[in-house]
Amino acid sequence: MLFGRALEDAELMAGVDIDKVWAGVAGSHITSFNSKGMVAIKNHEVQKDDMRRVIEAAQAVALPEGRQILHVLPQNFAVDSQDGIRDPLGMSGVRLEAGVHVITGNIMSLQNISKCAQRSGLHISGLISEALASAESTLSQDEKDLGVAVIDMGGGTCDMVIYVGGAVVHTAVLPIGGAHLTHDISVGLRTPASEAEEIKRKYGCAMASLVQAGETIEVPSVGGRNPRTLSRLTLAEVIEPRIEETIHLLNNEISKSGYKDLLGSGVVLTGGGSLLSGIPELGEFIFEMPVRRGIPINTTGLKEVVQSPALATAVGLLKFGAANQARAIEKASGSFVNIIKNKVANFLDGAF
Ligand SMILES: Nc1ncnc2c1ncn2[C@@H]1O[C@H](COP(=O)(O)OP(=O)(O)OP(=O)(O)O)[C@@H](O)[C@H]1O
Ligand SMILES: [Mg+2]
């Protein structure tokens, strides 16, 4: 039902009929690993086909039952003994190796997304990791090159993607999100969940020390009792421990990944949960790195509308879809096609 409503709203807003979608996939069922592959270079000079074969070889690992590959992201290549090559095309050698990051999902969960779309009369063009989509829309190439961790703080989970040297080297999902915080506020302030959600968005702050003494908020009560006036500091004292715990867990995950010292661009927080006031400040304190909020970048057209971390995933999915469409057209090849490709790319760019 919800899917149908979202579809209607999107069609109305964009003024187009939607029959195909790039669907985002998120949740704790997503897992990932790094893998390596090796092939002989056919004509002793690396061709596109050698690169395709080595990436294929790198993903040829036995997956646990019930899992499906979502993405195979090339990291870097090695030609004979020379490693750390980003683009080996045209290089001479005998042996080509590739490192890849593989993201997998639970087949049942992925099927449920497809079923959901089909029931609304939609065809799935592709399934994309939401964390990857958010990273795609919020990070610059420089940040990816220099090393960065992007964390998409959603309702149910925090999804992390780490880039080093321009490539994805680590991804992780933490089963804590904004909904847990709302629950804490609901219990802590004894107010209904819907009110707790509104209070969190309006008055919430991740760091009690950032709240001015004397600031007050009105809190609706449960069971027909009168609303109460509470200090905003009390609310911050409920929020701070949960966010502190969440950021500590994220920090542990970054340390465990082994890439912490390589994150020259620090941490980017995105997703609806990152809108909480004071969260970058607390983040900098715990991560001991620069922290910024991630909003969609390089967008034209609907720029004003999408300038929010809560829309990072949606914009990222659009970018994936647009890039894929452009690639598909390129494959059809020919100079005539290039003209069309540019036109489609311009059109899709204008859709943002
Ligand atoms: N201004 C705000 N302050 C604090 N939290 C906020 C604010 N706006 C939204 N949120 C929280 O962000 C969360 C939703 O974020 P988002 O829309 O990115 O999640 P989602 O993508 O639907 O969820 P998930 O990624 O877990 O599937 C909710 O928990 C909501 O309470
Ligand atoms: Mg999300």
Side-chain angles (χ1 to χ4, degrees):
M1 274 309 279
L2 261 175
F3 212 91
R5 267 287 304 281
L7 182 63
E8 271 174 34
D9 287 354
E11 284 185 330
L12 206 66
M13 196 170 171
V16 291
D17 286 335
I18 300 169
D19 55 2
K20 289 187 293 220
V21 288
W22 288 86
V25 185
S28 305
H29 68 97
I30 305 223
T31 58
S32 59
F33 57 90
N34 288 327
S35 175
K36 277 191 187 304
M38 188 178 82
V39 293
I41 301 170
K42 268 190 184 155
N43 297 318
H44 290 191
E45 186 182 295
V46 179
Q47 312 276 319
K48 274 204 170 142
D49 188 57
D50 296 307
M51 290 166 67
R52 188 191 52 75
R53 283 190 304 118
V54 76
I55 289 165
E56 217 162 71
Q59 62 183 282
V61 288
L63 289 181
E65 201 170 328
R67 302 209 68 80
Q68 181 184 319
I69 292 181
L70 271 176
H71 300 280
V72 178
L73 308 164
Q75 293 168 326
N76 49 47
F77 296 86
V79 175
D80 296 339
S81 55
Q82 190 182 346
D83 58 10
I85 304 166
R86 263 199 220 178
D87 184 6
L89 196 64
M91 286 181 72
S92 297
V94 176
R95 195 182 66 233
L96 179 67
E97 289 171 74
V100 296
H101 187 76
V102 183
I103 303 181
T104 74
N106 178 288
I107 289 180
M108 296 289 178
S109 308
L110 301 180
Q111 279 175 352
N112 283 338
I113 295 172
S114 300
K115 270 189 204 163
C116 197
Q118 276 155 13
R119 278 193 196 145
S120 299
L122 293 170
H123 169 75
I124 300 252
S125 296
L127 295 170
I128 310 280
S129 143
E130 290 190 6
L132 211 57
S134 300
E136 206 46 47
S137 71
T138 57
L139 298 181
S140 68
Q141 188 59 42
D142 286 347
E143 281 176 310
K144 291 181 193 169
D145 289 346
L146 207 59
V148 65
V150 57
I151 298 163
D152 184 341
M153 309 183 85
T157 58
C158 284
D159 302 356
M160 179 192 293
V161 183
I162 298 181
Y163 286 82
V164 170
V168 175
V169 291
H170 185 81
T171 49
V173 179
L174 205 85
I176 301 184
H180 300 93
L181 182 58
T182 300
H183 181 255
D184 287 350
I185 296 169
S186 173
V187 172
L189 302 188
R190 278 176 276 120
T191 191
S194 56
E195 306 288 352
E197 177 69 29
E198 202 181 321
I199 291 168
K200 173 178 84 172
R201 292 184 186 212
K202 254 197 197 155
Y203 307 109
C205 185
M207 263 180 117
S209 59
L210 294 176
V211 174
Q212 308 275 331
E215 279 186 77
T216 57
I217 56 172
E218 186 148 295
V219 182
S221 296
V222 283
R225 297 185 186 90
N226 288 333
R228 293 151 294 151
T229 302
L230 282 184
S231 81
R232 190 171 168 229
L233 191 61
T234 309
L235 173 65
E237 281 167 356
V238 173
I239 293 174
E240 190 177 287
R242 171 68 81 171
I243 299 294
E244 207 176 72
E245 178 201 28
T246 306
I247 297 179
H248 271 299
L249 289 169
L250 291 165
N251 193 36
N252 287 347
E253 183 64 41
I254 295 177
S255 300
K256 243 178 30 196
S257 78
Y259 295 105
K260 181 148 191 181
D261 294 338
L262 300 177
L263 304 183
S265 299
V267 175
V268 173
L269 299 177
T270 188
S274 74
L275 282 165
L276 184 72
S277 147
I279 222 167
E281 290 85 346
L282 186 62
E284 292 209 336
F285 188 68
I286 297 172
F287 290 125
E288 295 179 305
M289 280 189 269
V291 175
R292 71 167 179 92
R293 274 197 191 93
I295 56 169
I297 54 167
N298 300 332
T299 55
T300 54
L302 288 174
K303 196 170 182 168
E304 305 302 318
V305 185
V306 300
Q307 289 302 292
S308 165
L311 294 174
T313 308
V315 174
L317 291 174
L318 263 174
K319 290 197 166 184
F320 262 100
N324 196 280
Q325 203 138 327
R327 262 201 307 277
I329 290 170
E330 195 175 275
K331 261 196 190 153
S333 83
S335 57
F336 167 69
V337 166
N338 275 338
I339 299 167
I340 308 258
K341 184 189 87 179
N342 289 338
K343 287 207 164 152
V344 171
N346 288 344
F347 166 73
L348 289 166
D349 266 349
F352 292 116

